[in-house]
Amino acid sequence: MFSFTKENLQRIEAEKKKYPTVESAVMPVLWIAQEQNGNWLSEAAIKATADVLDLSPAHVIGVASFYTMYNKQPVGKYHLQVCSNISCSLLGAKKLIHHLENKLAITHGETTQDGLYTFSEVECLGSCGTAPAMQINDDYHENLTIEKMDELLKGLEK
Amino acid sequence: MISLAGYEKVILPDIPNLNQIAVYEKHGGYEGLKKAVSLSQDDVINEVKKSGLRGRGGAGFPTGLKWSFMPKGDKVRYLACNGDEGEPGTFKDRQIFEFNPHLFIEGTLIACYAMGIKTAYVYIRGEYVKWINILQASLDEAYAKGYVGQNILGKGFNTDIVIHRGAGAYICGEESSLMNSLEGKRPYPRIKPPFPAQVGLWGQPTTINNIETLANAAVILRKGADWYSKIGAEKHPGPVLYGISGHVNKPGVYEGPTGMSLKELIYDVAGGIKNGKKLKAVIPGGSSTPILTPESVEKATMDADGLRAVGTSMGTAGIIVMDEDTDLVEALHILSKFYHHESCGQCTPCREGTGWLEKIVGKFAAGTATQQDYDLLLKICANMEGRTVCALADAAAWPVRNTITRFKEEFEARMIENKNKAGWDYSMKAVSGV
Ligand SMILES: Cc1cc2nc3c(=O)[nH]c(=O)nc-3n(C[C@H](O)[C@H](O)[C@H](O)COP(=O)(O)O)c2cc1C
Ligand code: SF4
Ligand code: FES
């Protein structure tokens, strides 16, 4: 089951007012749905999004599935998104990824058994000048080294 | 020769807290907007034309000319501000959001005034939550001060600015994909014509500009087109944000005039190659622009003509520097994988072509490629270039074509027939010695 909270329904009304058509609010409403649903979009969350916008669920799925940041399955408490594109790879991103995969025993798209971490290899984050870079949920971490990454993970466990 | 010596920064000046409106106003902020509203709409467009400003989003289209394509009359029309910033090697618009957001807001208002636009949408990539928040805070300040909203500066001109958050799709930076994304559709690029100035957002006339382009428009109105057009390269003037990444000692975003020598940027501004290594290759304007050999880097200046002369282009001015230990085959494989992942799949040459490019470049990376594969890569590129709805297919083909021809020996060394001679470690799969 999923239904928008009263507060989120208000936010949705505000989003709708920003565009000349209701359909255009689908992305902001999907963001709100994902946030309320614990960082992923369940079928019920998609259905609720479609309902508040008077769209077909198929249309909403069509939109959501196009974008990598709408999570179609549950993700861990910490979503580790490491850039493996060119500038980061020039400065050792592949080694970082290798280290992380070994340490957590998961690969791209997987979540640890305790539900703490999901690891994703992502495309350029716009941090090429402070490479290698990663996001943990919405936060950027840059100029990474293996040591710095270990420190970051340690900080999270507490 | 154009150089950083004596250059005064205007896009990202070293002024603390410039993101606060009071500080911004103290340093000439919103003077350009006041100037603009004292002129006719056409005069503002002419001023931007006269300045010589060309778009900073990748294609380098003359901005004043683009603005003049908007039809006259009272049809509802829109501005889309492109902050999708997804091109690998590009990380400059976020600096504007963080350090000089009001300059961008001011430029957006000037564009809206000039084209009679009442709503501007700022499309910002989904990952940039931090920068969306910074911009929103500045926008709230600008609304509170009466620079945005109703009856701006008491001149009866109304404009709202709305931030729209993307959700992780490189193709949404392409202007027509961006418009479909904003409309809540699946963001497939649109066939042109019709062009956005005729049929754009929600079927109405629309202009799309990059964030840095709009920031430049504010500078032009504040300082005047005559002042502006004297900065940098004569035919491609103005300040530009160079983003330098890869194997340099001081990577980062540096503001300078267009037309600087690539050598000065790499060796002086960015502190030279890391660990005293030699240079192997440079991608000068984001991942889609053709790669340069060290001989070309010696000659290149960072403007449209200077880069055309060495067979590449300015793109986003995102300079990716690679040292002598870089495995260019693996580097190209990363880019081919990226374009394949980001192809929207609408056109067959792009959907199939990007997949083949990734696969065959992967064979070189694995050391299982042959001369036939090399020839096939060139054929696939020819079948992609200029044959699709949007330029992503070209953006995927150019790096392949140019890397395998300009650095042919490196690809030849990875062919099965030459494997024993080369001595590559195929198990390593690291892109560089770092
Ligand atoms: C695949 C693709 C991705 C693009 N991504 C961006 C982008 O992230 N930001 C941007 O400003 N322009 C991007 N562009 C260019 C836009 O289509 C458009 O030319 C630009 O936003 C126009 O602004 P300008 O005239 O101010 O440069 C992209 C183009 C293509 C083909
Ligand atoms: S060229 Fe590629 S990305 Fe562009 S519309 Fe065609 S399939 Fe989509
Ligand atoms: S390549 Fe990793 S942030 Fe740009």
Side-chain angles (χ1 to χ4, degrees), chain A residues 18-21 23-24 26-28 31 59 61-63 65-70 84-87 89-92 94-95 121 123-130 135 138 140 142, chain B residues 78 88-91 94 121 125-129 131 164-168 171-172 181-184 186-187 202 245 247 251 320 322 326 331 334-335 337-338 341-342 431-432 434:
Chain A
K18 294 180 181 171
Y19 307 89
T21 68
E23 179 187 6
S24 305
V26 64
M27 291 185 72
W31 278 122
H59 177 84
I61 289 168
V63 171
S65 64
F66 197 95
Y67 300 95
T68 54
M69 293 182 74
Y70 293 128
S84 63
N85 212 302
I86 182 91
S87 302
S89 284
L90 288 172
L91 295 173
K94 300 271 154 143
K95 282 181 193 164
E121 205 174 310
E123 299 300 354
C124 177
L125 286 169
S127 291
C128 327
T130 39
Q135 274 190 288
D138 286 340
Y140 273 70
E142 303 176 311
Chain B
Y78 297 103
T90 309
F91 48 102
R94 75 176 236 193
Y121 291 90
R125 60 178 300 175
E127 292 86 349
Y128 279 5
V129 176
W131 294 277
H164 181 94
R165 181 183 176 196
I171 194 60
C172 289
S181 180
L182 265 169
E183 290 184 20
R186 254 175 100 80
W202 300 286
S245 68
H247 296 138
I320 307 167
M322 293 176 261
T326 306
I334 288 173
L335 294 184
K337 184 168 146 266
F338 167 73
H341 182 246
E342 302 297 336
V431 185
S432 78
V434 177

Side-chain angles (χ1 to χ4, degrees), chain B residues 116-138:
Chain B
I117 291 167
K118 294 201 170 57
T119 320
Y121 291 90
V122 191
Y123 194 105
I124 306 182
R125 60 178 300 175
E127 292 86 349
Y128 279 5
V129 176
K130 173 178 165 186
W131 294 277
I132 288 174
N133 292 339
I134 292 172
L135 183 65
Q136 187 63 59
S138 301

Side-chain angles (χ1 to χ4, degrees), chain A residues 21-63:
Chain A
T21 68
V22 173
E23 179 187 6
S24 305
V26 64
M27 291 185 72
V29 176
L30 281 168
W31 278 122
I32 293 171
Q34 174 156 301
E35 179 196 296
Q36 188 186 315
N37 197 52
N39 204 15
W40 75 290
L41 291 165
S42 59
E43 234 175 86
I46 295 266
K47 175 83 173 47
T49 301
D51 286 347
V52 291
L53 297 173
D54 214 4
L55 297 168
S56 74
H59 177 84
V60 177
I61 289 168
V63 171

